[in-house]
Amino acid sequence: MTLPSSVKIVEVGPRDGLQNEPGELTVATRVKLIEALADAGLRHIEAGSFVSPKWVPKMAGSDQVFAALKARPEVTYSALTPNMQGLEAALAAGVKEVAVFGAASEAFSAKNINCTIAESLERFRPVASAALDAGVAVRGYISCVVGCPYQGAIAPQAVVEVAQQLLDMGCYEISLGDTVGVATPNRIGALLEAVQRKVANQQLAVHFHDTYGQALANIYRALEMGISTIDSSVAGLGGCPYAAGASGNVATEEVIYLLNGLGIAHGVDLAALVQAGAAISAKLGRDNGSKVGRAMG
Ligand code: HMG
Ligand code: MG
């Protein structure tokens, strides 16, 4: 099987990671992390969320984060926007790429965004349309693509249906999220086979959490199947506030180490990334969740 020659990394640590870290988190800490990630060569960084601060308090002040970031034409900073209120706040903050986030599980949709899957898609449609009118690109997430903490196993067809609707409303990329990290490579293979019948590889990303230590194996399987966009989180930060037991995303350091070993281009300076991961781990007073970060730090 031919692996891709280069991979796009979408760094989600400052959003998916920090949204669920306990302890003190200032705007200055968030900005410092994001700048360090951009300095390390990351070109797609999810920098915040325009969601209800009652639901996700750690992402409050995302407008201030965006205001403080140095302009770097080569870097795309994106943010989550679950509804029109979020999109309007993101546009006011000058955000150039947004993401809507749905699920393949009804139970998770209710817990995470307080509506059914169908309602969420209805809600996303005007968000995507207004974003595109404003010249802002839209990414679409699907959570719980293999398993749900509340509902159990999820059928690939449920993912395909949501993916098609997200593409129809103008999302340029669909990130397939194993929110609780329960997937194994055979399940990812079956999922991708089903999704690839309807969606081109260039429009797909994989988003693995490492709760059961399967993320790298799943990434390898996805690479073998032609996927070349990978979401990851520096130092393996975070989890999901509405998925009990979910650990952080696969650590970006682990993904870069794997890609280096496979000779796949990615544009990231691993040593600088390791330093960024060590610094945020120290600042948060937590163990570094990246094995590569611990080995090289
Ligand atoms: P709701 O309570 O149904 O919303 O929440 P509502 O429209 O009835 O509004 C209720 C209150 O929220 C109002 O304020 C609104 O103003 C406010 P109040 O009158 O009570 O003072 N509100 C907002 N405030 C700021 N920004 C907004 C906004 N919208 C409403 N955009 C809602 C619905 C979607 C807002 C809520 O459920 C929410 O914010 N959920 C966010 C959950 C979240 O961010 N989860 C984590 C991200 S998803 C994830 O991590 C998975 C992913 O990584 C992929 C994977 O791993 O699978 C992407
Ligand atoms: Mg996630």
Side-chain angles (χ1 to χ4, degrees):
M1 243 165 269
T2 324
L3 299 175
S5 57
S6 70
V7 153
K8 167 181 154 189
I9 301 287
V10 179
E11 169 60 51
V12 298
R15 192 283 301 173
D16 204 353
L18 294 183
Q19 74 183 3
N20 202 33
E21 285 293 332
E24 168 87 9
L25 182 64
T26 63
V27 166
T29 299
R30 292 163 68 184
V31 170
K32 195 170 172 199
L33 170 64
I34 296 165
E35 296 289 4
L37 294 167
D39 287 341
L42 286 150
R43 293 293 169 259
H44 302 269
I45 304 177
E46 210 169 61
S49 256
F50 292 86
V51 299
S52 162
K54 286 183 193 146
W55 285 65
V56 184
K58 289 287 155 91
M59 287 293 105
S62 286
D63 54 339
Q64 295 166 48
V65 171
F66 274 88
L69 288 173
K70 224 189 294 172
R72 302 189 197 225
E74 72 284 10
V75 181
T76 302
Y77 297 112
S78 59
L80 298 195
T81 54
N83 53 18
M84 283 307 288
Q85 192 175 335
L87 178 71
E88 278 155 20
L91 294 180
V95 176
K96 297 286 188 291
E97 178 173 323
V98 297
V100 292
F101 50 104
S105 146
E106 285 293 353
F108 186 80
S109 181
K111 291 265 187 198
N112 193 40
I113 50 174
N114 202 24
C115 60
T116 65
I117 295 171
E119 285 165 349
S120 76
L121 294 167
E122 279 312 304
R123 194 183 280 173
F124 298 155
R125 218 160 266 125
V127 173
S129 157
L132 294 173
D133 284 349
V136 165
V138 187
R139 189 175 208 231
Y141 276 103
I142 308 176
S143 285
C144 298
V145 292
V146 165
C148 167
Y150 312 107
Q151 212 178 296
I154 299 293
Q157 191 50 32
V159 180
V160 173
E161 280 161 24
V162 177
Q164 280 189 301
Q165 297 213 46
L166 290 172
L167 286 174
D168 288 348
M169 67 179 82
C171 293
Y172 77 94
E173 184 170 279
I174 306 297
S175 173
L176 301 169
D178 180 19
T179 314
V180 273
V182 291
T184 46
N186 57 325
R187 303 284 305 280
I188 291 305
L191 171 69
L192 286 176
E193 248 172 61
V195 175
Q196 284 171 330
R197 269 182 232 124
K198 304 283 181 188
V199 186
N201 280 345
Q202 295 73 11
Q203 292 177 300
L204 290 173
V206 285
H207 178 110
F208 293 117
H209 287 252
D210 204 29
T211 316
Y212 291 90
Q214 303 300 303
L216 281 183
N218 291 331
I219 285 174
Y220 192 75
R221 184 81 188 103
L223 289 170
E224 281 185 330
M225 294 184 72
I227 303 299
S228 58
T229 300
I230 299 171
D231 296 1
S232 60
S233 170
V234 65
L237 293 173
C240 176
Y242 295 101
S247 75
N249 295 77
V250 62
T252 309
E253 295 90 322
E254 263 76 322
V255 178
I256 297 301
Y257 186 91
L258 173 70
L259 297 176
N260 282 347
L262 295 172
I264 297 176
H266 48 69
V268 179
D269 174 344
L270 181 56
L273 176 67
V274 164
Q275 276 184 19
I280 187 66
S281 301
K283 186 76 189 171
L284 295 172
R286 82 197 286 280
D287 292 337
N288 190 335
S290 163
K291 286 190 168 142
V292 172
R294 293 202 297 271
M296 287 179 61

